[in-house]
């Protein structure tokens, strides 16, 4: 049968792999700043196509083929083939690293990509005709796949597709680790390179299935990322970056269900209103009013803790939720915020000061949407009293409940 011929299988697998990559490109929808993972994965798939094509570029592999096709000696083909596989694994690892949204520079990416390939190449040049050449190659497969497993592991909480990748990683790590140990303990005779270096049929089959399933899993992860971005946009205020009113209650109650415990209470809630905002818009224009909202939001974001919730409630009103915080601690935050909004003369980028009034409350339970809405009504009454004077923080009293 023709499918028992490695050359025929390569001539089928290479175009199929490229078509899979093309479909990945065509199926992706997203903003340009989120395309780095896709670009790195495509680079890895293209390197995989080249790594498979290397075997076809040895003399005599394709009968009656053009003379220029047989340009690689078996030794060169072996080094290019094995190094290409490590390079492809590295590209896919960087794609997953980008998907995790970890920030690193170009130099770091190049080091991560090229260091394993260069170390492998140096060792391979010494061990090429040695008994331990194959165990050296499988050792680097274990190392590079292990790094990819480590990068993928945190993604399992965000993407279901990561579980398929991790399962594949485990299978590959077991196979390559077993091969490396077996070949190191009982090394085969040195490679002679007296005939073209070709894939075995089992190796071709495993290579095809693993690469196809990995690309499919990565495509699923990209689609999951897109859905998460759409959801995030739907609950985020685009001007300030704070949660919008639609996403606030769901986010707060979700945290409540997820983080129940004594460390979450008391829980303080502040409703903040920027002072004289209508006058700012009338006197300086709406663009300057937007700048004031952005400056306020960026200051709050800089001062708040990771577990705090910041919401643009509407217009110039904002909501802050402080888990594990009592009223006195929340008042200290308000003082720090007021000080941060009043920089020394000459350092402000706005031609006017940003002041605010706030209502403040504390609760020891928040079990439902109704509880939260009742708390907001009482905070709103305290805010109303604060706005009568301006520049004050009013705490909820018994008459507000």
């Amino acid at each position: 049968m023709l499918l028992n011929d490695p050359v025929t299988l390569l001539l089928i697998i290479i175009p199929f792999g490229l078509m899979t990559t093309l479909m990945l490109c065509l199926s992706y929808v997203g903003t340009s700043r989120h395309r780095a993972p896709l670009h790195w994965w495509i680079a890895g798939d293209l390197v995989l196509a080249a790594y498979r094509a290397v075997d076809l570029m040895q003399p005599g592999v394709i009968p009656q083929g053009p003379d220029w096709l047989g340009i690689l000696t078996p030794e060169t083909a072996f080094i290019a083939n094995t190094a290409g596989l490590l390079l492809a694994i590295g590209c896919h690892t960087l794609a997953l690293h980008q998907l995790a949204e970890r920030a690193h520079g170009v130099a770091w990416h190049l080091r991560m990509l090229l260091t394993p390939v260069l170390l492998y190449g140096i060792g391979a040049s010494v061990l090429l005709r040695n008994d331990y050449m194959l165990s050296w190659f499988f050792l680097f497969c274990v190392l590079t796949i292990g790094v990819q497993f480590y990068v993928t592991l945190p993604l399992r909480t965000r993407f279901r597709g990561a579980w398929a990748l991790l399962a594949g990683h485990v299978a590959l790590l077991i196979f390559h680790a077993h091969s490396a140990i077996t070949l190191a303990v009982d090394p085969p005779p040195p490679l002679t390179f007296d005939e073209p270096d070709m894939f075995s049929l089992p190796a071709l089959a495993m290579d095809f299935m693993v690469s196809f399933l990995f690309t499919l899993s990565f495509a699923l992860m990209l689609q999951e990322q897109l859905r998460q971005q759409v959801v995030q946009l739907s609950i985020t205020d685009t001007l300030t970056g704070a949660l919008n009113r639609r996403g606030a209650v769901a986010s707060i109650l979700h945290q409540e269900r997820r983080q129940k415990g004594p460390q979450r209470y008391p829980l303080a809630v502040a409703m903040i209103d920027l002072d004289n905002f209508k006058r700012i818009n009338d006197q300086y224009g709406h663009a300057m009013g937007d700048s004031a909202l952005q400056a306020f939001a960026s200051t709050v974001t800089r001062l708040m803790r990771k577990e705090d919730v910041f919401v643009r409630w509407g217009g110039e009103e904002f909501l802050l939720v402080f888990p594990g915080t009592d009223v006195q601690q929340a008042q200290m935050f308000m003082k720090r915020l007021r000080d941060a909004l009043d920089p020394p003369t000459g350092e402000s980028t706005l031609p006017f000061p940003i002041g605010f009034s706030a209502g403040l409350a504390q609760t020891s339970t928040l079990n439902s949407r109704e509880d939260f809405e009742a708390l907001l009504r009482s905070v709103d009454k305290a805010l109303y009293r604060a706005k009568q004077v301006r520049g004050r923080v009013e705490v909820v009293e018994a008459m507000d409940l």
Side-chain angles (χ1 to χ4, degrees):
M1 292 176 61
L2 289 175
L3 291 182
N4 288 333
D5 176 24
V7 174
T8 304
L9 277 177
L10 279 172
L11 293 174
I12 295 173
I13 290 173
I14 292 172
F16 186 86
L18 292 173
M19 287 173 58
T20 304
T21 304
L22 179 61
M23 291 301 295
L24 176 64
C25 296
L26 295 177
S27 66
Y28 179 73
V29 179
T31 59
S32 58
R33 72 186 185 93
H34 291 109
R35 287 180 182 168
L38 176 66
H39 295 161
W40 277 112
W41 195 272
I42 290 171
D45 279 358
L46 293 177
V47 173
L48 278 178
Y51 129 88
R52 292 164 183 149
V54 161
D55 278 359
L56 302 177
M57 302 176 71
Q58 300 174 82
V61 170
I62 300 181
Q64 300 178 347
D67 293 338
W68 59 265
L69 196 58
I71 59 174
L72 299 179
T73 63
E75 294 96 327
T76 307
F78 177 81
I79 294 295
N81 186 290
T82 51
L85 178 59
L86 298 178
L87 188 63
I89 295 172
C91 288
H92 287 166
T93 300
L94 290 179
L96 294 164
H97 186 273
Q98 289 284 340
L99 198 62
E101 299 176 355
R102 299 187 180 102
H104 289 287
V106 175
W108 183 90
H109 285 84
L110 290 176
R111 284 198 304 272
M112 286 293 294
L113 183 65
L114 298 178
T115 299
V117 179
L118 291 175
L119 289 175
Y120 167 75
I122 292 170
S125 64
V126 175
L127 299 172
L128 187 59
R129 295 183 179 274
N130 188 282
D131 295 356
Y132 296 98
M133 179 62 231
L134 290 177
S135 60
W136 177 253
F137 166 64
F138 282 114
L139 172 64
F140 270 81
C141 287
V142 171
L143 293 176
T144 52
I145 295 170
V147 170
Q148 192 173 115
F149 177 87
Y150 175 78
V151 170
T152 308
L153 194 60
L155 295 175
R156 73 191 188 282
T157 59
R158 291 177 53 196
F159 306 110
R160 288 171 296 173
W163 287 100
L165 285 179
L166 292 171
H169 290 145
V170 171
L172 289 174
L173 285 170
I174 292 172
F175 171 78
H176 287 101
H178 177 266
S179 299
I181 294 170
T182 301
L183 292 172
V185 172
D186 186 18
L191 300 171
T192 59
F193 300 111
D194 52 4
E195 58 183 23
D197 178 68
M198 293 294 295
F199 286 104
S200 66
L201 290 176
L204 271 177
M206 185 175 73
D207 170 64
F208 168 72
M209 288 188 292
V210 168
S211 61
F212 177 71
L213 291 175
F214 272 31
T215 297
L216 197 63
S217 300
F218 184 74
L220 175 61
M221 293 169 72
L222 287 180
Q223 296 307 313
E224 289 179 290
Q225 182 195 47
L226 179 60
R227 284 196 296 272
Q228 292 170 8
Q229 290 166 5
V230 170
V231 170
Q232 188 62 33
L233 286 172
S234 72
I235 63 173
T236 302
D237 176 62
T238 54
L239 180 64
T240 62
L243 286 173
N244 60 26
R245 193 165 183 165
R246 175 182 178 181
V249 177
S251 176
I252 292 165
L253 293 179
H254 172 71
Q255 281 197 11
E256 177 65 21
R257 287 190 296 270
R258 189 165 53 90
Q259 300 177 357
K260 272 189 175 179
Q263 71 277 7
R264 186 163 174 78
Y265 293 104
L267 182 142
V269 176
M271 184 74 79
I272 302 172
D273 184 86
L274 299 192
D275 292 340
N276 306 311
F277 191 72
K278 183 178 184 304
R279 190 172 69 191
I280 290 171
N281 277 333
D282 292 342
Q283 183 175 348
Y284 297 97
H286 288 279
M288 193 60 70
D290 288 347
S291 297
L293 292 171
Q294 290 172 327
F296 175 79
S298 65
T299 304
V300 172
T301 303
R302 176 165 52 85
L303 295 177
M304 64 188 278
R305 303 168 302 177
K306 183 179 179 181
E307 61 268 26
D308 296 338
V309 179
F310 180 43
V311 185
R312 186 182 180 189
W313 199 245
E316 68 273 23
E317 282 193 350
F318 294 86
L319 180 73
L320 267 166
V321 179
F322 305 99
T325 304
D326 58 28
V327 166
Q328 288 73 30
Q329 292 169 318
Q331 286 178 317
M332 291 175 60
F333 177 90
M334 293 299 165
K335 184 179 184 305
R336 295 199 338 263
L337 176 59
R338 201 180 297 280
D339 292 341
L341 291 170
D342 186 24
T345 305
E347 293 187 13
S348 175
T349 58
L350 298 172
F352 49 81
I354 300 177
F356 66 86
S357 306
L360 193 59
Q362 171 184 319
T363 183
S364 57
T365 180
L366 198 65
N367 294 322
S368 66
R369 180 183 292 265
E370 289 73 22
D371 289 347
F372 181 65
E373 290 175 350
L375 181 64
L376 287 182
R377 286 193 294 271
S378 61
V379 172
D380 198 49
K381 292 177 184 177
L383 173 61
Y384 178 78
R385 290 201 308 275
K387 287 164 67 174
Q388 304 310 303
V389 182
R390 287 292 179 187
R392 294 184 60 179
V393 176
E394 286 283 340
V395 178
V396 167
E397 299 176 357
M399 63 181 179
D400 300 316
L401 301 175

